[in-house]
Amino acid sequence: MLSRTADHLFWLSRYIERAENTARMLDIAYQTSLQPQSADESLQTWRSLVSISELNGLYGAKYSVINARNVMEFMVADENNLSSIFNCLRAARENARAVRGSLTTEVWETMNQTWLEFRRLLREGALARDPSQLFEWVKYRSHLSRGVTVGTMLQDEAFHFIRIGSFLERADNTARLLDVKFYRQEQAQVDADDAGHDTARDFYYWSAVLRSVSGFEIYRKVYSNVIQPDKVAELMILRSDMPRSLSHCITRMHANLKRVANPQSAETLRRAGRLEAGLAFGRIDEILAEGLHPFLDRFLAEVADLGARISQDFLVPSA
């Protein structure tokens, strides 16, 4: 496969996954904002969304205050924010158009229609009218795109590059979400120690974190109705049967990477395998003893390294 074709396939799937992940986080933040909370808690919720994507500087250059309306506009429709849902869906459609011949008609039409329909919804004021409904629509279109890809494409190199991009992006997002949410909760816990422990507040907080990765029902099935932070971390990091966990994403990414291996990708495969093994045989007590933040920092660095190596091995034209 030509490297430029692989590059387009890799990135179209990453952009679709990024749009879905952004919609998930925004929806949970919006739903949480409807519950009773202090002004400071509301501010921290919306600030964390900007921090997850490392967009504080870009956001601060345009908006003087952080609030729900500004953050949603910035993360959904801002054409200058390359990580906005608007730009992600546009980039996914443009990458798909560039490799139209490598996709089935159903995949192309789904990508194209998603972009056209999203623009129409924004023009008609869907974000201001009902943000949650718009976020559900974005998630649905991502699910549709993924389902059509799996259900209609030949499982050749094109298919594998699409899947590699999806799982790499999903792993990165889950790790960022965990890092920001656990850090915020640790800070909140310090403030709450003097005032007494609020079990109900903890339940709603961790429920929101789980729902952001479609993990609430899974958690209740695997563990119990009592939500504990260490169990949330275990589910989202180490459970290989949890579709959005770090372990599941890296395992699936590595499996697809092996299917497109070439003579120069041995080191990339070795590093992917080492990361997979660390998650497969890891224990949550060891991770927490090390510190969740250092662990996730290292994981994000390794994911970034894998992305760069995949680009070098497969996506950059040979001289």
Side-chain angles (χ1 to χ4, degrees), residues 50 148 157 175 184 232 236 239:
V50 181
V148 168
E157 285 188 328
R184 178 191 161 196
V232 173
M236 295 174 68
R239 290 285 306 202

Side-chain angles (χ1 to χ4, degrees), residues 69 91 97 105 118 128 136 141 147 156 163 187 191 194 216 220 223 233 241 251 259 279 281 284 309:
R69 183 177 62 83
R97 185 174 62 85
T105 299
F118 183 73
E136 285 296 327
R141 294 301 299 189
D156 57 1
R163 301 296 278 169
Q187 296 300 107
D191 297 336
D194 294 334
F216 183 71
R220 293 179 65 182
Y223 299 106
D241 50 357
T251 296
R259 301 294 294 273
L279 293 167
F281 297 102
I284 194 61
R309 287 183 168 278

Side-chain angles (χ1 to χ4, degrees), residues 30-229:
Y30 176 69
Q31 296 293 339
T32 302
S33 72
L34 301 178
Q35 300 172 1
Q37 59 181 322
S38 69
D40 185 62
E41 287 175 323
S42 177
L43 175 64
Q44 290 301 323
T45 295
W46 295 108
R47 178 179 289 154
S48 69
L49 289 179
V50 181
S51 299
I52 286 174
S53 302
E54 299 180 353
L55 295 170
N56 303 74
L58 185 61
Y59 180 91
K62 184 168 184 178
Y63 299 100
S64 58
V65 297
I66 291 180
N67 56 40
R69 183 177 62 83
N70 288 349
V71 172
M72 286 196 289
E73 181 68 26
F74 178 70
M75 298 294 289
V76 173
D78 194 322
E79 296 186 38
N80 295 317
N81 174 12
L82 296 180
S83 293
S84 69
I85 295 175
F86 178 91
N87 276 322
C88 285
L89 294 182
R90 176 167 64 180
R93 188 260 187 186
E94 289 306 305
N95 277 284
R97 185 174 62 85
V99 288
R100 173 68 184 84
S102 298
L103 305 174
T104 61
T105 299
E106 291 89 344
V107 172
W108 160 247
E109 289 182 347
T110 299
M111 297 274 190
N112 189 46
Q113 187 62 35
T114 297
W115 165 240
L116 297 175
E117 184 71 7
F118 183 73
R119 286 198 305 170
R120 181 187 67 78
L121 289 170
L122 288 183
R123 287 197 302 267
E124 294 178 355
L127 178 60
R129 184 173 60 252
D130 191 342
S132 190
Q133 184 177 20
L134 180 62
F135 301 146
E136 285 296 327
W137 182 89
V138 173
K139 288 189 284 183
Y140 168 76
R141 294 301 299 189
S142 176
H143 297 164
L144 181 61
S145 173
R146 189 158 50 246
V148 168
T149 299
V150 173
T152 68
M153 284 191 64
L154 179 68
Q155 295 193 12
D156 57 1
E157 285 188 328
F159 176 84
H160 295 307
F161 278 114
I162 289 174
R163 301 296 278 169
I164 290 168
S166 292
F167 287 116
L168 199 65
E169 182 68 29
R170 189 181 299 177
D172 180 271
N173 181 263
T174 298
R176 290 179 185 277
L177 175 70
L178 270 172
D179 196 21
V180 170
K181 293 299 186 181
F182 270 80
Y183 176 76
R184 178 191 161 196
Q185 186 65 4
E186 286 173 0
Q187 296 300 107
Q189 186 60 49
V190 171
D191 297 336
D193 281 342
D194 294 334
H197 194 64
D198 190 339
T199 304
R201 188 181 295 270
D202 275 358
F203 176 82
Y204 286 116
Y205 182 85
W206 293 115
S207 293
V209 173
L210 288 168
R211 291 184 193 280
S212 69
V213 293
S214 295
F216 183 71
E217 290 84 1
I218 294 175
Y219 182 95
R220 293 179 65 182
K221 184 175 183 179
V222 172
Y223 299 106
S224 68
N225 290 334
V226 178
I227 298 179
Q228 299 174 317

